Amino acid sequence: MKVTLPDGTELQLEEGATGGDAALAIGEGLARAALAVSVNGELRDLARPLPDGAQLSIITGKSPEALELIRHDTAHVLAAAVMELWPGVKISIGPAIENGFYYDFDFPEDAEVSDADFERIETKMREHVKAKESFTRQDISVQEAIEKFKTENQDYKVELIEDLITNEGAETVSLYTNGPFTDLCRGPHATDTGKIKAFKLTSIAGAYWRGDAKRQMLTRIYGTAFLSKEDLAEHLHMIEEAKKRDHRRLGKQLDLFHFSEISPGSPFWHPNGMKIWNSLHELWTEQNARRGYNRVKTPILLDVDLWKISGHWDKYRDNMYFTDIEDRPMGIKPMNCPAHIQIYKSERRSYRDLPIRYSEDGLVHRHEPSGTLHGLMRVRHITQDDAHIFCTEEQIQDEVIQCLRFGFYIYEIFGFEPKLELSTRPEQRVGDDATWDRAEAALENALQAEGLEYELNPGDGAFYGPKIDLHMKDSLGRSWQLGTVQLDFSMPERFELAYTGDDNDEHRPVMIHRALFGSFERFIGILIEHYGGEFPLWLAPVQAKIIPVSDLFNDYADQVAQTLVDAGLRPDVDARTESVGKKIREAELSKAPVMLVVGAEERDAGTVSVRRRHNAGDDDAKLTIGELVDVLSAEVAERRRPDAG
Ligand SMILES: [Zn+2]
Ligand SMILES: [Zn+2]
C-alpha cells in the first residue's frame, strides 16, 4: 500500500503497516522521536494500522499537537497513581486543557486529599514515567465495557458508556491501558509514558460531576506537562510571576481601586487609580482629536423602542438592564452605536460630510453572571474607548488603514506585540454576498497595503459584517484581544441611515465600529499586570516621592513639590519622622519611578538628589529644580517606555 507524506512524496508500505512502521521507513531518528501520527488530519496512535492512500504526517515533540497529547498521557498517569494510593477511588474524566490537564476523582469518604499530597502523588507518577509503560488500545463491545467497569465499581465510567450508547449509538468503545491502569478513552496516546519529559501537579479544586450542581461534588486535580524540563520551569516561573502581578492584589497594594458587594462587577476607583485613568484618557483625547474624530457624549438610558430597532432587544436582552421611568420602559445601553446613530441622523448628510468619525468614552453596562466576574478583566460597568465611523463603501479601505495605524501607535507606547486576525462571513448573516465580497476585500486590501501579517478566521465574522481583531502579547507572553475594527451593514439598514451622493440620490453609509483599548477598566487591569505595577513615569499615580532627610527640610520638600505640581507633575512628600532608609524602602515598595532626596546641601543649592527605581547601586544625580522639571516633563510628554532608556 501507499501513503503520502507532507512534502508530497509517496511511501510504499507493507499491507497492515502502522504509523510506527511508516516512521521507521522514513528514518530511525524519526521513529525514536515519533509520538503519534496524523492520518488524513486525524491524530492517531502509532500502533494502529494505516489505511491505504492516507495523507500522513508523523507527530514529534516539535509538532504543535505534541503538548496536548503528552498532557492527556499525563492525566492517565495521574489517575494510575491516585488509584494506587487511594484504593476504592472512583475516576471520572481527565482531559488535556489549555496549559495542562486535569482528572476528576471521587475519593472515599475518609480520604482528605489536598495539595499537601501532591508530592507523594508525583513520586508515584514518576515511577510510572520511568518504567516507560506503553499505552495499549483495545476496542471492546459496550456490553463488555459496562460489565468491566461495573465489577470495578466505576459508576461514572458506566454512566459515560451508557450515554455513548444513547447519544451516539455506540456499539464498541476503546480502552487504553498504561501499566496497572485502564481507562475508557477515545485516545490517541503516545507510545509510552516515557515520552513525558516533565510534569507537575499545580492545584486542586471541587468540580461537580458533569458540571451539574445537583450531582456529586468531585475533586479535580490540575497539572501540567511539557516535553522538556526547561519548558516546565519557564511555565512555572510565569505562573508565579502572574500571581505576583495579579491586578486585584496590586490594585489593593497600590490603592488603585476596590470592588464591593454594593455593586458587583463595578470598580470603585480610588484617587491613585484615577490618576492612571486620567493619563490614559489624555492619550485617548489627544489622539482622537489629531486623527479627525469628533468627541460626543450620549445618554446611558434609552427607550426600549430603540433597542428593538437595533436588534439588541431580540439578541442581547439577557445581558441588558432595564428600568421604567414614568411608566416608560427604558434600557441601559450595552453599546454606544445606536446612540451615535442618533447624532448622525440629527441632520441630513451629504457625501461631502463623509467620513464622519465620532468617539466617546462610552459608559455601558452589560450583565455578566456573578460567577464570571474577574477583577477589572470582566466587569459589568464598562467604559469603552468607542468610536464609530460613517463612510461610503469606497472609503472603507482608507478608514480601516487609519484605524490600524492608530492602534499600532497606541500599542507601541506600551510595547505590546500585535497579532491580527481577519474574520469573514459567518453562516448566519445579513447583507448580500456581493456586499460581503467587497467588504472582505476592503479589509484584506487594507491589511495587505500596510504589509501586515494576519491570521484568517473564515466564518468568524459578526453577523453584520467582517472584522479585524487586534491581539497583543504582554510582558509575560500572554495574549489579550484589545482592539477591534468591525464593518457593519446592518445598523445603517435598520436605522435607515442615508446620505445624498454626488448623483443627488440617497445612499446608505457603511458603519465601522472601532475600539483600541477595549475598555478603560480592562485595559488598566492588563497594564497593571503587564508592568507588574511599575508604571512608566507618564502613567505612575505618584511620579516622584520627595524624601526630606529630616523634619528640618519639610518646607523645602513642599516647595519642590509645588513646583512639580505647577508643571503638571504628580509628586508626593513623605514628611513622616522616619529614617531616610525606611522612607526609601517604602518608596520602592510604592513603585514610584522617581525618588527625590532633599537635605541641607540640596536646600542651600536649590537642588534635589534624583534616584530612579531599582538603581540602588548607582550614584544619585543632582539636578536643580528647573532641570528636574525639564527632565521629567520631557519624559512624560514622550510617554517614554521604561525599556526605552
Ligand atoms: Zn483519556
Ligand atoms: Zn459600536
Side-chain angles (χ1 to χ4, degrees):
M1 67 177 207
K2 249 189 330 202
V3 292
T4 313
L5 302 176
D7 64 0
T9 56
E10 289 188 339
L11 188 65
Q12 205 72 39
L13 294 167
E14 303 252 327
E15 210 56 44
T18 65
D21 297 334
L24 193 58
I26 302 168
E28 252 174 69
L30 184 65
R32 267 196 306 276
L35 298 171
V37 58
S38 162
V39 178
N40 301 325
E42 186 202 342
L43 217 54
R44 289 214 197 176
D45 303 338
L46 282 172
R48 291 179 73 182
L50 297 169
D52 191 13
Q55 196 75 38
L56 212 70
S57 106
I58 305 293
I59 305 298
T60 68
K62 293 196 184 79
S63 317
E65 298 90 341
L67 271 182
E68 191 180 334
L69 194 74
I70 288 293
R71 287 169 178 170
H72 183 191
D73 291 352
T74 317
H76 280 232
V77 174
L78 166 63
V82 166
M83 287 187 80
E84 283 173 320
L85 292 169
W86 287 272
V89 65
K90 290 181 183 177
I91 54 173
S92 66
I93 55 163
I97 52 171
E98 206 194 338
N99 294 323
F101 63 87
Y102 67 79
Y103 211 111
D104 284 350
F105 301 100
D106 186 357
F107 283 97
E109 290 261 320
D110 55 344
E112 276 171 37
V113 182
S114 74
D115 52 10
D117 295 298
F118 283 1
E119 230 180 277
R120 65 187 180 119
I121 302 174
E122 284 171 356
T123 306
K124 256 279 170 264
M125 289 171 72
R126 221 161 278 128
E127 287 169 19
H128 289 294
V129 170
K130 270 216 179 93
K132 296 188 179 161
E133 294 159 347
S134 51
F135 283 97
T136 51
R137 179 188 172 109
Q138 196 191 355
D139 288 273
I140 60 170
S141 74
V142 287
Q143 291 80 10
E144 257 181 287
I146 288 178
E147 201 52 45
K148 167 186 164 54
F149 286 114
K150 264 193 181 150
T151 358
E152 294 169 6
N153 278 324
Q154 294 295 353
D155 323 333
Y156 299 104
K157 294 291 171 189
V158 174
E159 187 178 324
L160 288 171
I161 299 167
E162 280 166 351
D163 281 3
L164 285 176
I165 299 171
T166 320
N167 300 335
E168 295 177 21
E171 288 172 8
T172 62
V173 292
S174 53
L175 304 182
Y176 277 83
T177 302
N178 50 300
F181 176 69
T182 297
D183 204 352
L184 170 75
C185 178
R186 281 182 206 275
H189 283 280
T191 45
D192 63 88
T193 56
K195 298 286 188 284
I196 303 166
K197 295 301 175 201
F199 70 89
K200 179 123 191 75
L201 301 181
T202 49
S203 63
I204 187 163
Y208 290 107
W209 168 231
R210 310 207 119 166
D212 182 348
K214 291 195 246 356
R215 313 259 340 237
Q216 181 71 30
M217 172 69 94
L218 304 174
T219 303
R220 176 169 298 178
I221 297 180
Y222 287 97
T224 190
F226 285 89
L227 291 143
S228 79
K229 295 207 163 54
E230 294 72 35
D231 289 353
L232 173 65
E234 195 180 308
H235 175 76
L236 294 176
H237 173 72
M238 213 209 56
I239 293 181
E240 258 332 288
E241 204 41 44
K243 258 189 219 158
K244 266 193 264 167
R245 289 168 177 239
D246 189 316
H247 74 281
R248 293 166 298 180
R249 184 175 139 167
L250 284 170
K252 194 175 283 174
Q253 189 190 322
L254 304 176
D255 196 18
L256 305 179
F257 58 83
H258 83 269
F259 283 90
S260 157
E261 271 313 300
I262 292 169
S263 182
S266 309
F268 289 75
W269 288 95
H270 295 197
N272 277 347
M274 257 340 264
K275 285 170 188 156
I276 299 172
W277 184 298
N278 285 337
S279 299
L280 278 180
H281 200 269
E282 269 167 36
L283 168 66
W284 174 82
T285 310
E286 168 198 300
Q287 289 300 318
N288 275 291
R290 280 191 198 170
R291 291 164 196 269
Y293 288 83
N294 287 298
R295 207 163 139 190
V296 296
K297 196 158 191 66
T298 56
I300 65 164
L301 272 174
L302 295 154
D303 196 296
V304 158
D305 284 342
L306 182 91
W307 301 115
K308 287 184 177 157
I309 299 173
S310 71
H312 286 87
W313 177 262
D314 284 337
K315 293 239 161 68
Y316 205 69
R317 195 175 13 178
D318 291 347
N319 292 82
M320 287 177 66
Y321 299 113
F322 295 95
T323 183
D324 282 349
I325 293 175
E326 292 178 348
D327 293 331
R328 191 170 160 202
M330 311 278 276
I332 299 183
K333 68 179 174 186
M335 292 177 200
N336 303 296
C337 347
H340 289 188
I341 283 174
Q342 301 310 306
I343 301 179
Y344 180 93
K345 281 192 76 149
S346 66
E347 253 179 69
R348 280 187 70 85
R349 305 292 178 180
S350 122
Y351 69 97
R352 281 188 220 93
D353 302 327
L354 303 185
I356 290 176
R357 309 184 190 94
Y358 294 140
S359 68
E360 180 177 7
D361 47 344
L363 174 59
V364 301
H365 288 77
R366 294 178 187 173
H367 180 69
E368 302 282 356
S370 31
T372 65
L373 298 174
H374 180 81
L376 294 174
M377 303 303 192
R378 195 143 194 175
V379 288
R380 289 178 182 163
H381 168 120
I382 306 159
T383 314
Q384 295 181 304
D385 65 319
D386 211 357
H388 293 98
I389 300 164
F390 300 88
C391 64
T392 68
E393 244 186 68
E394 295 70 47
Q395 291 168 333
I396 292 177
Q397 187 174 326
D398 253 2
E399 288 305 308
V400 169
I401 287 178
Q402 297 309 325
C403 288
L404 294 174
R405 286 188 186 166
F406 191 172
F408 291 133
Y409 174 84
I410 297 283
Y411 303 136
E412 172 69 22
I413 293 173
F414 304 97
F416 288 135
E417 233 180 89
K419 202 184 109 227
L420 308 187
E421 287 180 13
L422 170 63
S423 300
T424 56
R425 70 193 78 183
E427 297 231 337
Q428 298 285 334
R429 60 181 184 264
V430 298
D432 56 62
D433 282 351
T435 318
W436 277 88
D437 286 343
R438 288 195 300 274
E440 288 170 2
L443 291 187
E444 259 185 87
N445 292 341
L447 289 164
Q448 272 154 16
E450 292 292 278
L452 295 166
E453 276 181 37
Y454 60 93
E455 198 177 294
L456 189 64
N457 289 335
D460 239 17
F463 72 91
Y464 48 76
K467 60 173 182 169
I468 299 173
D469 287 334
L470 302 118
H471 298 256
M472 300 299 132
K473 233 186 208 168
D474 71 7
S475 59
L476 290 186
R478 298 174 301 181
S479 180
W480 305 93
Q481 193 206 316
L482 294 177
T484 187
V485 180
Q486 307 191 348
L487 293 191
D488 188 345
F489 312 116
S490 166
M491 286 273 191
E493 195 76 38
R494 284 169 176 270
F495 283 96
E496 299 174 347
L497 300 189
Y499 68 89
T500 313
D502 55 1
D503 54 4
N504 260 327
D505 275 347
E506 294 276 280
H507 298 271
R508 221 24 112 231
V510 180
M511 207 173 155
I512 302 175
H513 309 255
R514 187 229 74 194
L516 298 174
F517 296 157
S519 77
F520 281 84
E521 288 84 356
R522 181 164 164 275
F523 194 66
I524 293 175
I526 291 168
L527 288 183
I528 295 171
E529 301 197 356
H530 175 60
Y531 290 121
E534 299 190 342
F535 295 103
L537 192 73
W538 73 277
L539 275 178
V542 174
Q543 294 170 322
K545 201 71 154 172
I546 305 178
I547 301 172
V549 297
S550 87
D551 296 354
L552 291 175
F553 308 103
N554 285 357
D555 286 346
Y556 180 62
D558 287 340
Q559 192 192 320
V560 174
Q562 191 56 50
T563 313
L564 294 184
V565 170
D566 291 344
L569 295 160
R570 297 189 290 268
D572 182 45
V573 178
D574 187 347
R576 295 172 306 160
T577 314
E578 296 284 358
S579 73
V580 179
K582 184 168 182 191
K583 287 188 193 178
I584 289 179
R585 272 195 306 282
E586 287 183 11
E588 281 272 358
L589 282 179
S590 79
K591 302 189 190 290
V594 173
M595 283 169 261
L596 305 171
V597 182
V598 295
E601 201 191 320
E602 285 82 8
R603 184 192 54 192
D604 296 345
T607 59
V608 289
S609 283
V610 185
R611 173 182 285 242
R612 292 278 174 162
R613 184 168 55 205
H614 302 317
N615 81 334
D618 297 359
D619 280 344
D620 298 350
K622 283 239 195 306
L623 295 182
T624 65
I625 302 179
E627 286 166 342
L628 174 74
V629 166
D630 289 347
V631 167
L632 297 186
S633 301
E635 199 171 323
V636 168
E638 282 172 39
R639 300 193 174 94
R640 199 179 297 161
R641 269 161 51 179
D643 56 2

